[in-house]
Amino acid sequence: MKKILHILRRKNAEAKPYWEDFTYETTDEGATVATALASTPVVWEHSCLQRRCGACAMVINKTPALACNTRLSEISTDVIQLEPLRKFPVIEDLLVDRSVMMQNLRRLSVWLEEEARTGSEGMAFEAARCLQCGLCLEVCPNFAAGGAFAGMAAMAPMSRLIARLSEGERKRIARAYQKGVYSGCGKSLACRDICPAQLPIEELLVRSNAACVWKRWKTAGSFTSVGD
Amino acid sequence: MNTKTMAVNIIGAGLAGLSAARAFAQEGVGVRLISFQPSERAQSNLAEGGINAALDVMGEQDTVQEHFLDTMKGGCDLADPNMVWNLTQAAVGLVKDMDRLGVPFHREQGQIIQRNFGGQKKKRTAYAKSSTGKMLMAALIDAVRRYEAAGLVERYPHHRFERLIVKNGKVAGAVIYDRFRKEKISLSGAVLMACGGMNGLFAGETTGTTANAADAQAALFAQGIEFSNLEFLQYHPTTVAITGKRLLISEAARGEGGRLFYYEEGATDRKKVYFLEEKYGERGNLMPRDVISREMTMLGKQVYLDLTGLSRETWAVRLSDLREEILHYLGVDPARESVPVSPGIHYFMGGILVDEQHRTNLPGLYAAGECACAYHGANRLGGNSLLGAIFGGRKTALSMMTDGCCAEEDEENSEEAHFAEGSSEADQCGEEDWAEDNCEEENQVRGTITQILMEGMAPLRDQKTIEAALKKLDALTEASRASGRLKHTLLLARAFLLSALERRESRGAHTRLDYPKTDAALKKNTIVCCADGQIRLSYREIPVLRAQAEDG
Ligand SMILES: Cc1cc2nc3c(=O)[nH]c(=O)nc-3n(C[C@H](O)[C@H](O)[C@H](O)COP(=O)(O)OP(=O)(O)OC[C@H]3O[C@@H](n4cnc5c(N)ncnc54)[C@H](O)[C@@H]3O)c2cc1C
Ligand code: SF4
Ligand code: FES
């Protein structure tokens, strides 16, 4: 199989972007965009190579995806166009700065201050699978870096807390959730379809809304989705 | 509380780094948490099968003493028994602590349930399906975030460690490189290394992450830091080559009833031989990893992992994520068909030499987690390294505080000093060393180092194969106009081969075909150290278990 990687490169944030092509040939049926990129001098972020760390998010043929989760054999075109994510500042080539995601979680006080209660393991498990890859933010019509709305990338870690927190912490988290997630979410659910971890985003959202907005905290316990 | 007191630099933000940062912050001590990538990308997130602690919840009368003995035995008596004692003693409390942070451990009727793991007779491994590492990380990341917001933990999440600053025989700080702003930063203060395993020396051949490039370890080695037991490299029995790496099939699969077999040759009915059960009895499939990998390699036949006997409930409740992963990567439904597997590099028992307090041979430098040689001797038991990382990080923080590493900095040193790019005399490395690591020539040399090490550090070794690898490495070293970083990597690779060459016995993960027996006289740790570009090798006795430790 032979593919041409058509990559939008730039030396740094200020430099003028330019396109460069690299040919990649392989007999490996399992080869991914990540495998191909590894053979180029292009700068990109990678770590696990098995869709478990969220590092390699980029725009592949105009669709945001994980490079290591996109098989070359499943791309119908011979030319594969690669661009950095657009919602985050570019550092170099396909490497972007997603620090805003960490900042949002700090701003929304995403942590426990008291002991977690037991129960709702299912919801906590699914929520904690979030990779912090940022693909959901990339496709969200309502997310902009620097805005009040922190998107599904904040909803998921918050719903981990919502599943497990003790009564004393409800107010703090509910307030942060309303401010950072609920009030900004337009329910387009574009995030649900793009999420490479296939988080049960809709159910997490419904349960978290029920708890934080409608004060129905018990609903987290009856979580049913299994994410695969 | 003076939150500006930042005299500690933690390098690495996996489980060990996070656990250390949290322990410092809990005492009100401010730290810098420096990592190549944010915590969500660290290898700790990949850990699957679980974490060990003698919780004694499975009605088997498990005890801390047995956890201690299993760990010592699994490590073929090369671990410091006092350290293993501390580790196993603390395990129950640490798992409960993680539970309080909201880790969704598998429970039935409200009670944590534990599973079988290799090399342990009792069900001692707490888990969350096959995603235990990810669940522990999510909880610890949140816990540390609280201290970030309070100003006690300052994150440097896209920064690469370059080298130590040493003054008067003591660590005075570290030079790091900001990958985003593309500049060097010199930080003062003590240094705690928590930078994971040395995957980069075996690029594409490990189950772990590409981000643990081993460059930090190579730099330390070149600066004279002592390393230990590099010959003990863990080959995990059940891995599969996929594009760019080896995919781990967690030991949990065997803990839940999976069996290894091969097909008898010539037999028309393709008879399955469950060779481990034949040789070791009922628990054959759960022998320690060194034993199983050695059996598989000696066998020289394709081995399969048979998971077809696992119950529906097991798949649904305990291993749904593993099944999905195997299906995705191998196109095989493990509930119906057996999976071809082979041993692959998974863990480094060797690493930076530390004492019981996690001190290295350089005052002011400490190490914890997989980068440190601690707890696991000649072979690590599954489920003990998540524990070792969480415990080690915490233990190190406590001993650094005891040692007074976190005293307020001198006025003149308290500001970050930014080196001008490539101009400081303290920086002897060339400009090319600081860029994103993707230079073609360098990648080629690194690829060759991997090839050489794969030959010399193969699961079965002898003098000839190791010497042949050393010769190739020497030739490569001479041929390449190696830059600073690459030179250090070549040195570290050499230390691996020398350690393997000089240990003339078979023990744990180190199997010498020319010395198949364990030599009681070699119940010692290998120490390697670099001085003036020369590698020195020596052996050190294993401390004896102190009576007070035995009493608890
Ligand atoms: C697939 C897989 C499954 C596993 N399953 C289990 C299991 O079930 N149970 C178990 O006990 N163990 C398991 N392990 C082993 C265990 O996950 C690791 O040993 C452990 O997580 C190591 O933690 P750590 O904090 O030491 O290192 P890591 O989590 O590897 O973190 C290293 C940190 O150092 C940073 N770093 C590296 N180099 C540099 C540099 N030059 N500069 C700055 N930062 C740097 C990285 O960015 C990262 O933040 C598994 C390992 C793998 C690969
Ligand atoms: S919710 Fe899904 S898409 Fe969004 S950051 Fe998490 S894993 Fe990525
Ligand atoms: S490299 Fe980890 S998700 Fe692609």
Side-chain angles (χ1 to χ4, degrees), chain B residues 4 16 37 39 85 117 135 163 187-188 194 204 245 270 283 293 314 337 357 439 456 499 503 510:
Chain B
K4 282 277 174 270
Q37 292 170 334
S39 290
W85 181 263
F117 243 51
M135 297 299 130
R163 61 183 175 80
L187 303 168
S188 56
K245 73 175 304 183
R270 302 256 289 162
R283 298 188 57 87
S293 286
T314 300
E337 263 179 87
Q357 308 307 324
C439 141
S499 303
R503 185 174 283 278
H510 176 66

Side-chain angles (χ1 to χ4, degrees), chain B residues 14 21 31 61 78 85 124 136 180 195 232 239 264 294 301 309-310 357 360 390 393 398 401 408 422 488 513 527:
Chain B
V31 294
Q61 270 104 45
L78 275 205
W85 181 263
R124 190 179 293 142
L136 292 168
F180 286 5
C195 57
F232 298 104
T239 75
E264 193 168 74
R294 187 162 52 242
K301 289 194 177 93
L310 271 55
Q357 308 307 324
T360 68
I390 296 175
L398 298 178
M401 288 187 270
E408 217 159 317
H488 302 159
L513 293 170
I527 317 285

Side-chain angles (χ1 to χ4, degrees), chain A residues 11-12 24 28 30-32 35 37-38 40-56 68-69 71 91-92 95-99 101-102 105-106 109-122 124-126 128-134 157 160-161 164 198 226 228, chain B residues 36-43 45-48 99-107 110 128-132 134-135 138-143 145-149 155 157-158 179-182 207-211 242-248 316 320-322 324-325 328-330 436 438 440 443:
Chain A
K11 201 68 212 135
N12 55 53
Y24 182 70
D28 177 2
T32 63
T35 325
L37 270 173
T40 73
V42 171
V43 174
W44 59 296
E45 193 83 291
H46 48 89
S47 168
C48 73
L49 301 182
Q50 61 180 98
R51 56 182 192 157
R52 274 184 181 237
C53 82
C56 64
C68 72
N69 194 30
R71 289 200 176 119
I91 302 295
E92 183 174 356
L95 177 67
V96 296
D97 178 359
R98 284 170 278 187
S99 307
M101 295 170 68
M102 285 173 100
L105 294 175
R106 267 198 295 268
S109 70
V110 181
W111 58 75
L112 293 177
E113 291 179 0
E114 294 171 21
E115 252 177 54
R117 47 165 208 93
T118 51
S120 307
E121 278 85 16
F125 182 90
E126 291 301 325
R129 286 174 49 241
C130 170
L131 306 174
Q132 291 295 301
C133 67
R160 182 186 88 85
L161 305 186
R164 305 301 299 270
Q198 291 172 288
V226 179
D228 52 26
Chain B
F36 185 73
Q37 292 170 334
S39 290
E40 286 82 0
R41 322 275 181 247
Q43 177 161 311
N45 294 285
L46 306 187
E48 301 182 352
D99 191 39
R100 285 192 291 270
L101 291 181
V103 173
F105 286 117
H106 185 71
R107 291 183 125 89
K129 292 197 187 188
S130 188
S131 303
T132 314
K134 180 70 185 158
M135 297 299 130
L140 262 181
I141 289 170
D142 282 357
R145 183 178 295 120
R146 183 181 175 192
Y147 297 113
E148 292 168 34
R155 284 264 190 183
H158 40 84
R179 301 169 59 218
F180 286 5
R181 294 170 66 188
K182 300 188 185 180
T207 56
T209 150
T210 56
I242 61 169
T243 190
K245 73 175 304 183
R246 299 206 60 105
L247 180 76
L248 175 77
S320 57
D321 42 358
L322 182 69
E324 197 275 337
E325 187 156 84
H328 176 81
Y329 281 103
L330 310 175
E436 281 293 325
N438 225 345
E440 203 172 319
N443 285 347

Side-chain angles (χ1 to χ4, degrees), chain A residues 54 57 66 101 127 129-139 151-157 191-192 194-199 201 204, chain B residues 41 134:
Chain A
L66 297 179
M101 295 170 68
R129 286 174 49 241
C130 170
L131 306 174
Q132 291 295 301
C133 67
L135 288 175
C136 52
L137 307 180
E138 178 76 5
V139 296
M152 287 311 114
M155 186 281 283
C191 48
R192 180 191 54 194
I194 205 89
C195 177
Q198 291 172 288
L199 294 196
I201 284 183
L204 290 174
Chain B
R41 322 275 181 247
K134 180 70 185 158

